[in-house]
Amino acid sequence: MNDTLLIALYAFAGAAATGLTGAGALRLVRRRSLTASLAVVAAVAVAAMFAGTLAVAQAMFLSAHDLSVVTTVLAMAAVVSMITALLLGRWIVARSRELAVAARSFGDGGDFTAPEAPATAELAAVSRELTATSARLAESRMRERALESSRRELVAWISHDLRTPLAGLRAMSEALEDGVAADPQRYLRQIRTEVERLNDMVGDLFELSRIHAGTLVLSPSRMSLYDLVGDALAGADPLARSHGVRLVGDHVEPVPVEVDGKEMSRVLGNLLVNAIRRTPADGTVAVAAERRADGVVLSVTDGCGGIPEHDLPRVFDTGWRGSDARTPPAGAGLGLAIVRGIVEAHQGHATVHNIAGGCRFEVTLPAAVT
């Protein structure tokens, strides 16, 4: 075996022994500061060279003078390595602490602001992720506040809308019981009307609770929008006649869709009732359906005069009602929220925008596979 191979074997043996010791030291300090780990790594690197050199010297491959020279060089390298490791460790620890302090703002409901000091690529990646998470949390907090506001409005409106008919029902029932009703049949008809209103309100609440709980089960089947719109127009015609509003459905293409007929009939019914009640007498409510590049679009256009721009983003929120919705016939602000929930359950989306003299509600649904 030649001298070069022997030197390599002795050096490896000495360095390996030091490396195993260093691995044990790293395991002991793995939960401590990064500075300690870097110091151990630097010490192991220099000690491994030193151990290998001693092993080679003991094998008589180095003279005493050469060993002294190499040892001095290694000692100087150890000093420089340790200083560098400590400085690097302190710098990384400082950047980590700055990142930790900035991240604490999450707990206070604030936004994350990344430290301005330069950091390693890994810490910069963590900072970017925290920034993205902060944006998502801020958006979530805004949605939560909007939802809470909608819930409060809903409770207020429901309380108002329940109290009024219940008070009327009590008064009419007492009048009938005491025999002081001038026209009992009229009172009975009015009681029936109020009961139907309350029943519709409870039905809307139940439907909305299923949507929010994710328990709305759809039974889709292939059908034509032409038939779906025709049935909805026929059902809304009596209400339109009583309000003096004309219903138009001349621009409905016979486009096939895969939908739950019962739920989509409820969507169309809610949109039509909303449009009829908001359209003045002698006005027109138009229904149209067509195929577009992004799917099948069903629209209901009314003559309500338009919705204020600041209210447009809230139209489909639970409990929202326009500024003129102060009377019981306007409902409890659940109809359009139910529309959005059912449409989104069909993997579609609902939108609204103003047009000349009114507004147009559009429901976009995926086209049926041909």
Side-chain angles (χ1 to χ4, degrees), residues 25-26 29-30 32-42 82 85-86 89 93:
L26 282 175
V29 301
R30 68 185 185 279
R32 297 183 179 274
S33 172
L34 181 62
T35 304
S37 297
L38 289 174
V40 170
V41 170
M82 291 298 294
L86 291 173
V93 168

Side-chain angles (χ1 to χ4, degrees), residues 107-127:
D108 300 331
D111 297 327
F112 174 77
T113 303
E116 297 181 357
T120 64
E122 292 77 11
L123 290 178
V126 171
S127 180

Side-chain angles (χ1 to χ4, degrees), residues 6 43 60 79 88 105 115 126 161 175 222 224 258 263 301 329 340:
L6 283 174
M60 306 299 293
V79 173
L88 177 60
S105 60
V126 171
D161 289 348
R222 190 181 182 89
S224 171
E258 292 276 350
E263 297 298 338
T301 305
R340 180 174 64 179

Side-chain angles (χ1 to χ4, degrees), residues 133-188:
T133 302
S134 173
R136 290 194 294 270
L137 286 175
E139 183 179 353
S140 177
R141 285 193 293 267
M142 290 180 62
R143 286 198 304 268
E144 183 65 25
R145 284 194 291 266
L147 181 60
E148 184 61 28
S149 176
S150 295
R151 286 172 179 167
R152 287 195 296 267
E153 290 182 1
L154 174 61
V155 171
W157 284 114
I158 289 293
S159 300
H160 174 270
D161 289 348
L162 286 176
R163 186 182 298 112
T164 302
L166 287 175
L169 287 172
R170 173 188 290 180
M172 287 184 288
S173 63
E174 290 176 350
L176 290 171
E177 184 179 9
D178 296 340
V180 297
D183 187 355
Q185 291 301 318
R186 183 174 67 84
Y187 274 49
L188 291 174

Side-chain angles (χ1 to χ4, degrees), residues 226-238:
Y226 186 85
D227 297 333
L228 196 64
V229 171
D231 293 342
L233 289 174
D237 186 64

